[in-house]
Amino acid sequence: MVYTVTFNPSLDYIVNVSDFKLGQVNRTEKEVMFPGGKGINVSIVLKNLGMESTILGFTAGFTGEEIQRRVKEMGCVEKLIPIANGYSRINLKLRSNEESEINGMGPVIGKEDIDKLYQMLDTLKAGDVLVLAGSIPASMPSTMYSDIMEYLQNKEVMIAVDATKDLLVNVLPFHPFVIKPNNYELGEIFDVTLKDKKDVIVYAKKLQEQGARNVLVSMAGDGAVLVAEDGSVYESEAPKGKVVNSVGAGDSMVAGFLYGYLTTQNYEIAFKNGVATGSASAFSENLATKEEVEAILNTL
């Protein structure tokens, strides 16, 4: 079974405004709302590809109830833990002459809430997959991801981590199955500027030396790289298409990679699935569908 954790889920409210004027009344031309959060995105895309997963995490208030309602409506299984106080966040994404975002804070998550999550993690078995994705609220310990991996280290659970900076680096001693920084995040970790795939491969291997089994690096319009635990290295140019919505593309790449690997145990196929799935989401208003992914796979 695949489990995804989203510590700070959201309702993503995306509005289009023609020629937005600061300090004035602006009216939307188009608006959509989705359940958001990196782990939730991974679960939705896995569902679209035909693979079941269970969404874990925390929700609060009427916004939390709406997140739960929407993910269920999409056919996903959720075991989100309700928090007594506060509200799950609403993230506003404004598309106009420029794109802007205002992300909410989310509720305060207490120790008793975290304990409930650990009780759920106790049910994981050898061979299960756990996806830890995205940022964590300020109310939680900054070591949350590495704490979870340390807690599970004797269970033989395959763990995927999509996070930045210390959240990502701190998990490396616990040998995550796959990590997915983008090229800028990879450069930030080592305080260098990565100019091309050759540079990316060098520093991805350094993360592997520090404990990651597989390092999948997304590079937006420059494609992607996989440094796999069997010593193989795969590179891909970005598939051709018009980027409509970059939100969720990285999460979709993680979902595609896991789907490809879990169905074939082949890293090359997993990598191509990751590239195709990430691109399919980027080329669509919504997250990737199986048909969209297969159409791009045929071009790789």
Side-chain angles (χ1 to χ4, degrees):
M1 171 58 79
V2 180
Y3 298 84
T4 66
V5 180
T6 306
F7 284 107
N8 209 0
S10 62
L11 286 175
D12 287 351
Y13 181 47
I14 305 167
V15 299
N16 290 59
V17 176
S18 176
D19 194 23
F20 176 79
K21 294 282 195 306
L22 195 63
Q24 297 183 26
V25 173
N26 296 268
R27 301 196 184 279
T28 63
E29 296 180 327
K30 181 182 177 184
E31 49 191 67
V32 291
M33 188 174 282
F34 301 108
K38 294 178 78 64
I40 286 176
N41 289 341
V42 171
S43 278
I44 291 170
V45 174
L46 284 173
K47 177 66 179 177
N48 290 349
L49 294 175
M51 181 171 284
E52 295 294 333
S53 67
T54 299
I55 297 170
L56 305 178
F58 303 94
T59 58
F62 74 97
T63 45
E65 291 171 4
E66 182 63 8
I67 290 167
Q68 289 175 292
R69 187 189 73 78
R70 284 176 178 259
V71 296
K72 283 177 187 168
E73 192 174 68
M74 292 173 163
C76 295
V77 177
E78 61 85 13
K79 292 186 179 177
L80 290 160
I81 299 164
I83 294 171
N85 299 310
Y87 301 94
S88 293
R89 59 194 181 143
I90 296 176
N91 291 343
L92 173 65
K93 302 179 191 300
L94 169 65
R95 293 178 182 164
S96 188
N97 305 329
E98 294 181 284
E99 284 200 9
S100 303
E101 294 188 23
I102 301 174
N103 287 350
M105 292 186 300
V108 172
I109 299 169
K111 182 182 180 303
E112 65 281 4
D113 302 311
I114 295 172
D115 288 344
K116 289 177 185 174
L117 176 65
Y118 275 104
Q119 288 170 18
M120 290 185 174
L121 296 178
D122 281 335
T123 66
L124 270 63
K125 303 181 290 297
D128 283 344
V129 178
L130 180 67
V131 180
L132 302 173
S135 60
I136 57 173
S139 60
M140 298 184 75
S142 60
T143 55
M144 196 68 236
Y145 282 4
S146 54
D147 290 348
I148 286 174
M149 290 195 67
E150 183 174 17
Y151 186 77
L152 295 173
Q153 65 181 328
N154 296 321
K155 280 205 161 201
E156 297 178 31
V157 173
M158 297 165 61
I159 299 182
V161 180
D162 184 1
T164 59
K165 296 186 178 174
D166 289 348
L167 262 183
L168 181 63
V169 173
N170 290 343
V171 304
L172 297 178
F174 301 103
H175 308 293
F177 171 67
V178 62
I179 59 174
K180 196 218 70 65
N182 64 37
N183 52 325
Y184 296 108
E185 292 161 353
L186 180 60
E188 274 184 336
I189 289 168
F190 294 100
D191 196 24
V192 294
T193 300
L194 306 179
K195 295 176 183 163
D196 52 30
K197 288 190 181 73
K198 193 162 129 187
D199 289 347
V200 166
I201 291 166
V202 168
Y203 285 93
K205 285 182 176 178
K206 288 182 185 293
L207 290 183
Q208 209 173 40
E209 288 163 10
Q210 291 179 30
R213 289 170 57 188
N214 299 285
V215 184
L216 177 63
V217 185
S218 55
M219 301 176 66
D222 292 324
V225 164
L226 172 67
V227 176
E229 66 177 329
D230 62 4
S232 55
V233 176
Y234 301 100
E235 301 178 36
S236 174
E237 296 303 314
K240 297 285 187 285
K242 181 184 177 186
V243 175
V244 175
N245 177 26
S246 60
V247 176
D251 315 325
S252 299
M253 176 178 272
V254 172
F257 178 85
L258 289 174
Y259 174 82
Y261 184 79
L262 293 172
T263 52
T264 68
Q265 278 70 56
N266 181 295
Y267 282 124
E268 183 176 13
I269 292 173
F271 177 60
K272 286 183 176 179
N273 269 274
V275 171
T277 308
S279 297
S281 284
F283 299 160
S284 170
E285 281 284 357
N286 301 312
L287 294 171
T289 64
K290 191 175 183 70
E291 293 73 26
E292 290 166 345
V293 173
E294 287 175 347
I296 295 173
L297 267 175
N298 292 331
T299 71
L300 296 179

